Amino acid sequence: MDILSIFLSKPVLIGLHLGFAILSIDAFLWLLGEVVANAGSVKRRLIAAVLGLAGYILTWIIGGYYYVNFYGSLVKPIIKAGSAPWAHLIAMEAKEHIFLFVIPISITILLLSRLDSGQLQSMGLRKSLIRITLIVAGLGLSLGLMGFIISAAARWGIT
Amino acid sequence: MDKLKSIYASAYSTTITIAIVVGLTIGAELSASFKAWLATFTGHHWVTKSWISIIVFVLFFVIFKFVKKSINESQIRTALAILQIFVILGFIAILGFYMYEFF
């Protein structure tokens, strides 16, 4: 088995999908702390915002690859035949589409993060940045919860 | 100021992207032929929706950034407020739609 095969195996894909999502959520919570605390470093805010955006992009590509190549043929039938078909029909369907919100929101946050704390205050944009950052971290957490439900439903199968 | 125009353009293009994703999602569930038509472009309806979300975001970002000559802070605050409302409504619309369909 070569490295690429290991990288493209189902457990590794799921792990990377989750891992990069956690990285994004953590990065945006870090950014939130920077903005709430009125910290002066634009560089730190930009690092947090870039990490958040990059993590969501990677989790999108990796999760998308898994979803298209494995989920529909291997996981979905087990969930739909099991005791919690709603895990696919509600959680998965909502997750895969709501996820498409997070990249553009993250780009908007990154662009806002280029302003220094004085500009954010004087232009009245600090509270907007706080709210949008909270929203994108909250979206990530809610999608993570849906992912946990989907994985649990598949793991339990028809029991 | 270029930074402000970028924020303004990104906020509105994100709002439009969210609205289109919600429309495509619900439309594809209500019409099997529309969902199948989406799949013809990439082999999977979700991949097509993903590409559409990228194209719409970039297209409207460019339009809002280069059509608007000058931006003030009030216009950015409004754009960001509208964006927040659309994110929340979009989340409720998609989750609520699938819950309604299931129950």
Side-chain angles (χ1 to χ4, degrees):
Chain A
M1 183 176 255
D2 58 36
I3 294 290
L4 186 63
S5 303
I6 293 171
F7 182 75
L8 294 178
S9 67
K10 295 180 281 296
V12 174
L13 288 171
I14 284 289
L16 291 172
H17 172 62
L18 177 63
F20 284 119
I22 291 170
L23 173 76
S24 276
I25 295 164
D26 288 347
F28 282 119
L29 291 176
W30 171 23
L31 175 64
L32 182 66
E34 293 281 336
V35 181
V36 168
N38 244 339
S41 172
V42 175
K43 189 180 171 187
R44 274 207 311 268
R45 274 209 303 272
L46 278 175
I47 291 170
V50 167
L51 274 177
L53 173 62
Y56 273 143
I57 290 172
L58 288 169
T59 203
W60 187 17
I61 294 168
I62 295 166
Y65 180 85
Y66 172 83
Y67 173 69
V68 170
N69 289 288
F70 301 119
Y71 177 84
S73 56
L74 299 176
V75 185
K76 184 168 113 178
I78 295 171
I79 297 175
K80 289 184 81 172
S83 55
W86 57 268
H88 170 77
L89 296 167
I90 298 175
M92 186 65 203
E93 294 283 11
K95 179 177 182 271
E96 73 189 58
H97 293 106
I98 291 169
F99 186 86
L100 299 178
F101 297 180
V102 300
I103 306 293
I105 300 171
S106 300
I107 292 170
T108 305
I109 290 172
L110 173 60
L111 294 171
L112 271 163
S113 299
R114 295 194 301 168
L115 301 175
D116 63 42
S117 53
Q119 288 173 312
L120 284 171
Q121 284 279 18
S122 64
M123 293 176 185
L125 298 174
R126 182 171 163 270
K127 284 185 178 170
S128 295
L129 178 54
I130 289 172
R131 282 194 295 265
I132 295 173
T133 307
L134 262 174
I135 286 172
V136 88
L139 278 178
L141 287 169
S142 67
L143 296 174
L145 175 64
M146 292 180 205
F148 177 81
I149 291 169
I150 295 156
S151 294
R155 202 175 302 124
W156 292 332
I158 54 171
T159 58
Chain B
M1 191 177 172
D2 193 57
K3 284 180 184 174
L4 296 185
K5 279 175 75 175
S6 295
I7 296 165
Y8 176 85
S10 185
Y12 274 122
S13 52
T14 299
T15 300
I16 291 168
T17 303
I18 288 169
I20 287 177
V21 166
V22 171
L24 284 173
T25 302
I26 294 175
E29 294 303 325
L30 295 177
S31 166
S33 58
F34 179 55
K35 194 172 187 175
W37 180 74
L38 285 173
T40 58
F41 293 95
T42 60
H44 198 290
H45 67 91
W46 180 80
V47 177
T48 306
K49 288 173 194 160
S50 297
W51 279 112
I52 290 173
S53 74
I54 295 169
I55 292 164
V56 166
F57 178 80
V58 172
L59 180 70
F60 281 95
F61 183 88
V62 171
I63 290 171
F64 279 106
K65 183 158 182 192
F66 294 104
V67 166
K68 200 82 176 170
K69 296 292 177 201
S70 65
I71 299 294
N72 62 43
E73 295 128 41
S74 168
Q75 289 172 311
I76 296 177
R77 283 196 299 272
T78 303
L80 292 170
I82 292 169
L83 165 61
Q84 291 164 57
I85 292 166
F86 267 72
V87 176
I88 293 164
L89 290 179
F91 184 93
I92 293 169
I94 288 181
L95 187 61
F97 173 78
Y98 283 113
M99 289 175 81
Y100 174 78
E101 285 277 289
F102 182 76
F103 294 111

